[in-house]
């Protein structure tokens, strides 16, 4: 089966066109519902979610759209516009958990996990189109999971509480796509609100919407279009190194359950006894949690200069201590932060490729684009793609 492709030109999904394509694909029929499930950009709080820490994502204007109508019997037919491929899933036998990360695994994973959680699904025809870049950084997979889940539930007339739905979608990704991700992406896709970032406590799952006062600034996403295969094996390795850190600190204090319970002072005090790699990973996580809370304060005060400094500090920590950056991400951050009117920039998402998020004044977007053209695209074989976004709304039904 074909693998997801990376689109090279900026496309924007037109919802009306999605409805037309649905008719072309499914014998002239009209969809009953249209779901929009956004991508996300994590502003700060990277590799903290699986350490019970804090994250601060926004939903993006780029989104995955799913048009849906009742199907025949217990069959789900799903068509991907990007891949021009239709797959069929039997709800009575969605197949075993896998790990191949083909798009069908996300669709059948969501169906299987909803069913095993006790929800009743009916057959459905789905058409999926998306302008969330595939391949790292903006969480196209969570957008697909949430979009499909909402479409299937909507057509089946069943309801799931939002937090539970986020957990079910994450379970689908863990078990059916074999990606051991944390809870940030699915929560962001479902719970974000327009003009607000989502401060999520990944331990308690409590969240707060934080008004993002942009005062004539915006978020620019630089998609390096790079995805190093390394990332797949390094992500579980980082989780393991964090667990090693937890084990170490638990010997001293039985209350330590996760790196969330470890302070920067504790890490500093034990630097010489800890394995240097584990110490560096712990240092990143415990300081990153602090940076998230400081960034929330700075956003609340409208202090974008301070937010920018925290973004850059986060990038440096991810690069030097967590070691999940790569040459392309570092170079994009360097070029961006050299542009007048840019407050700060950092890699966003799991790393080893994917995207950089930049906080910039609106009038800096043009010079930033030019700088990327001149100083990044001429050096790296794959040209970067630039997207602009404000903090958008989380997933929901759209009028047809
Ligand atoms: C990926 C995962 C998230 C999170 C980030 C790193 O995007 O899907 O759960 O762990 O990496 O912050």
């Amino acid at each position: 089966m074909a693998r997801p492709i990376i689109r090279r030109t900026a496309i924007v999904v037109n919802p009306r066109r999605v409805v037309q394509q649905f008719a072309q694909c499914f014998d002239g029929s009209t969809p009953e519902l249209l779901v929009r499930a956004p991508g996300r950009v994590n502003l700060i709080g990277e590799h903290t979610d699986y350490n019970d820490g804090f994250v601060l994502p926004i939903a993006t204007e780029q989104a995955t759209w799913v048009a849906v109508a009742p199907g025949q019997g217990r069959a789900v037919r799903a068509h991907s516009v990007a891949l021009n491929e239709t797959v069929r899933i039997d709800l009575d036998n969605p197949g075993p958990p896998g790990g191949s990360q083909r798009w069908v695994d996300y669709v059948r994973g969501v169906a299987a996990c909803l069913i095993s959680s006790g929800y009743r699904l009916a057959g459905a025809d789905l058409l999926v189109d998306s302008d969330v870049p595939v391949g790292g950084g903006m969480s196209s997979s969570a957008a697909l999971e949430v979009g499909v889940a909402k479409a299937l539930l909507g057509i089946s007339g069943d309801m799931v509480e939002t937090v539970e739905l986020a957990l079910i979608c994450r379970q689908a990704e863990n078990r059916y796509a074999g990606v051991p991700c944390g809870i940030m992406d699915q929560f962001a896709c479902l719970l974000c609100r327009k003009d607000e970032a989502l401060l999520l406590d990944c331990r308690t799952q409590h969240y707060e919407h934080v008004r993002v006062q942009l005062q004539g600034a915006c978020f620019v996403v630089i998609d390096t279009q790079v995805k190093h295969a390394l990332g797949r094996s390094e992500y579980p390795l980082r989780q393991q190194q964090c667990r090693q850190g937890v084990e170490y600190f638990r010997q001293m204090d039985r209350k330590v359950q996760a790196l969330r319970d470890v302070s920067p002072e504790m890490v500093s005090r034990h630097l010489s006894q800890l394995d240097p790699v584990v110490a560096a990973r712990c240092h990143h996580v415990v300081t990153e949690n602090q940076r998230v809370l400081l960034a929330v304060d700075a956003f609340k005060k409208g202090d974008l200069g301070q937010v920018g400094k925290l973004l850059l500090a986060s990038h440096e920590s991810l690069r030097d201590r967590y070691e999940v950056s790569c040459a392309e991400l570092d170079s994009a951050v360097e070029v961006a932060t050299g542009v007048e009117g840019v407050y700060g920039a950092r890699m966003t998402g799991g790393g080893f490729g994917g995207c950089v998020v930049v906080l910039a004044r609106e009038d800096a977007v043009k010079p930033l684009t030019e700088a990327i053209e001149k100083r990044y695209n001429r050096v790296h074989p794959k040209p970067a793609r630039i997207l602009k976004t404000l903090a958008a709304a989380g997933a929901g039904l759209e009028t047809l």
Side-chain angles (χ1 to χ4, degrees):
M1 194 160 306
R3 297 173 56 77
I5 49 160
I6 296 175
R7 285 176 158 156
R8 303 210 174 271
T9 49
I11 49 127
V12 178
V13 173
N14 174 348
R16 242 182 282 147
R17 178 96 187 97
V18 172
V19 174
Q20 286 163 5
Q21 283 168 318
F22 186 94
Q24 282 160 16
C25 190
F26 296 112
D27 314 317
S29 59
T30 318
E32 239 171 52
L33 300 170
L34 184 61
V35 180
R36 176 188 164 277
R40 65 102 186 94
V41 168
N42 188 22
L43 299 182
I44 195 158
E46 219 64 83
H47 290 277
T48 46
D49 63 350
Y50 54 80
N51 287 302
D52 278 4
F54 301 103
V55 293
L56 191 70
I58 56 166
T60 60
E61 290 169 296
Q62 293 73 22
T64 291
W65 295 78
V66 184
V68 60
Q72 286 161 6
R74 303 280 298 148
V76 171
R77 290 189 295 173
H79 180 82
S80 157
V81 173
L83 299 171
N84 191 22
E85 180 186 42
T86 307
V87 294
R88 199 187 149 92
I89 293 147
D90 176 0
L91 289 175
D92 292 325
N93 181 19
S100 66
Q101 291 163 40
R102 295 169 307 172
W103 82 283
V104 63
D105 293 322
Y106 292 91
V107 179
R108 67 187 187 87
V110 165
C113 291
L114 282 168
I115 293 169
S116 66
S117 305
Y119 296 97
R120 279 201 312 269
L121 296 185
D125 288 338
L126 310 172
L127 181 125
V128 180
D129 199 3
S130 182
D131 50 21
V132 183
V134 176
M138 284 177 71
S139 201
S140 56
S141 45
L144 176 60
E145 290 147 21
V146 168
V148 167
K150 280 204 166 270
L152 289 177
L153 287 164
I155 224 66
S156 310
D158 215 341
M159 304 261 285
V160 183
E161 192 269 321
T162 308
V163 168
E164 185 176 357
L165 185 55
L167 296 173
I168 290 173
C169 288
R170 180 219 186 175
Q171 191 188 34
E173 180 146 353
N174 290 170
R175 298 186 58 217
Y176 283 78
V179 180
C181 60
I183 63 170
M184 166 170 63
D185 305 343
Q186 295 77 9
F187 271 75
C189 181
L190 278 157
L191 285 160
C192 280
R193 288 197 203 146
K194 189 169 167 7
D195 298 329
E196 292 174 339
L198 182 79
L199 170 62
L200 175 65
D201 178 336
C202 299
R203 165 166 282 169
T204 61
Q205 289 157 20
H206 287 152
Y207 55 88
E208 180 192 334
H209 291 101
V210 178
R211 188 138 195 96
V212 175
Q213 300 186 48
L214 285 178
Q215 311 150 57
C218 64
F219 297 108
V220 177
V221 177
I222 305 172
D223 178 7
T224 62
Q225 306 212 51
V226 168
K227 179 111 185 126
H228 294 291
L230 183 68
R232 229 174 254 173
S233 53
E234 292 286 322
Y235 187 91
L237 181 60
R238 292 298 177 281
Q239 291 177 321
Q240 193 197 317
Q241 290 161 341
C242 291
R243 278 194 296 272
Q244 274 174 260
V246 172
E247 271 160 37
Y248 176 87
F249 287 106
R250 196 162 34 209
Q251 286 167 10
M252 263 147 272
D253 180 351
R254 299 301 298 169
K255 284 199 236 91
V256 172
Q257 300 292 323
L259 287 183
R260 160 71 173 275
D261 304 311
V262 177
S263 66
E265 294 70 36
M266 281 165 82
V267 176
S268 304
R269 247 185 290 133
H270 291 270
L271 270 188
S272 56
Q273 291 99 291
L274 276 163
D275 170 276
V277 172
V278 172
R281 307 304 187 236
C282 293
H283 189 287
H284 165 73
V285 174
V286 301
T287 56
E288 184 77 352
N289 277 329
Q290 288 189 319
R291 283 187 286 272
V292 175
L293 302 178
L294 290 171
V296 168
D297 279 347
F299 269 123
K300 285 183 178 166
K301 290 185 192 133
D303 186 351
L304 297 186
Q306 172 66 1
V307 174
K309 283 186 195 145
L310 291 162
L311 297 185
L312 197 56
S314 168
H315 183 78
E316 287 166 358
S317 178
L318 288 157
R319 182 190 65 200
D320 302 337
R321 299 190 191 269
Y322 217 66
E323 296 182 274
V324 290
S325 189
C326 63
E328 294 86 350
L329 290 169
D330 293 343
S331 149
V333 167
E334 202 194 313
V335 170
T337 48
V339 173
E340 168 77 32
V342 165
Y343 294 102
R346 61 179 282 275
M347 57 153 277
T348 183
F352 299 103
C355 298
V356 161
V357 57
V358 185
L359 176 60
R361 280 198 324 249
E362 284 277 357
D363 62 6
V365 176
K366 197 161 168 266
L368 171 62
T369 311
E370 286 163 4
I372 289 290
E373 276 290 325
K374 272 201 211 117
R375 299 192 39 220
Y376 179 97
N377 288 353
R378 289 197 192 152
V379 179
H380 298 280
K382 272 191 191 169
R385 217 172 69 178
I386 307 231
L387 308 166
K388 233 176 92 179
T389 187
L390 296 168
L397 293 181
E398 297 286 319
T399 40
L400 276 164

